[in-house]
Amino acid sequence: MLTSLIVSPADCTAEALADFEKLVLEGGAVDPEGLTERIRNASRLLFLRASHGELVGVGALKQPGPRYRIRVFAEARATTRSDEYRLELGWVVVVKSYQGQRLSTRIVGELIAFAKNENVFATMRADKRAMRCASDLGFKANGKPFPSGRGYDLILYLRNAARFPNAE
């Protein structure tokens, strides 16, 4: 049985924050420069644990600064303004031995339910699996694919809370 906990970084122990960061770094698709501070500045962190306590997945609702949001929306040639989307979904990582069980979808779904009244953006790899997952959770691609700087393209996805007025 897996259990999840969504908490503010301020309510986490130093050990929990270090475990979160370690798993995010193992996921590999993140700039390690300043990651510790970015994790501490997030709105919420999700910890997914196995019954014996092992951390098997993480995700976050990040609060990126205006410069980052403006840059991402500009690179994607977004058709909406970045200041309408102050939360970013990200750092969704599942340990290899637990992959293939749709746990990423569970993590994203729980974080979106938590942020049900907020507009949320995310950047994901430009692949069919990511696009299907994003669409299933109410995200719509916006703009054009843009280079990640890591050898693959990203797509900007937006989830507008006004489209889901009765979300649970």
Side-chain angles (χ1 to χ4, degrees):
M1 170 141 176
L2 300 174
T3 58
S4 58
L5 177 65
I6 299 175
V7 294
S8 166
D11 294 332
C12 294
T13 64
E15 180 183 9
L17 291 171
D19 290 346
F20 186 99
E21 183 172 355
K22 180 177 183 262
L23 192 50
V24 169
L25 288 170
E26 286 172 6
V30 65
D31 181 0
E33 181 77 26
L35 180 60
T36 301
E37 188 65 25
R38 292 193 315 271
I39 290 171
R40 291 182 188 279
N41 289 334
S43 171
R44 293 289 184 269
L45 304 176
L46 182 144
F47 295 83
L48 183 64
R49 295 189 181 276
S51 57
H52 57 281
E54 177 190 6
L55 184 62
V56 299
V58 295
L61 290 169
K62 305 186 278 183
Q63 298 181 116
R67 283 191 295 171
Y68 170 81
R69 290 193 324 265
I70 289 167
R71 181 176 55 82
V72 167
F73 278 60
E75 287 182 20
R77 293 178 284 187
T79 60
T80 190
R81 296 173 19 170
S82 64
D83 62 354
E84 295 177 24
Y85 290 83
R86 297 189 183 270
L87 288 180
E88 179 183 17
L89 173 72
W91 301 325
V92 178
V93 179
V94 174
V95 297
K96 288 210 183 295
S97 61
Y98 281 81
Q99 290 177 1
Q101 300 177 43
R102 297 189 50 86
L103 296 178
S104 294
T105 302
R106 173 181 171 173
I107 291 167
V108 172
E110 289 184 26
L111 287 166
I112 291 304
F114 187 87
K116 65 184 175 194
N117 298 321
E118 302 281 339
N119 291 341
V120 178
F121 77 96
T123 57
M124 295 182 214
R125 286 182 190 234
D127 68 37
K128 290 183 194 278
R129 187 176 131 315
M131 289 188 265
R132 187 174 52 250
C133 176
S135 177
D136 290 350
L137 294 164
F139 285 88
K140 290 191 175 191
N142 190 281
K144 305 285 182 195
F146 61 98
S148 67
R150 292 180 155 27
Y152 53 85
D153 283 346
L154 294 172
I155 296 179
L156 174 65
Y157 287 92
L158 305 177
R159 186 178 188 282
N160 187 314
R163 289 186 18 238
F164 305 93
N166 298 318
E168 293 294 320

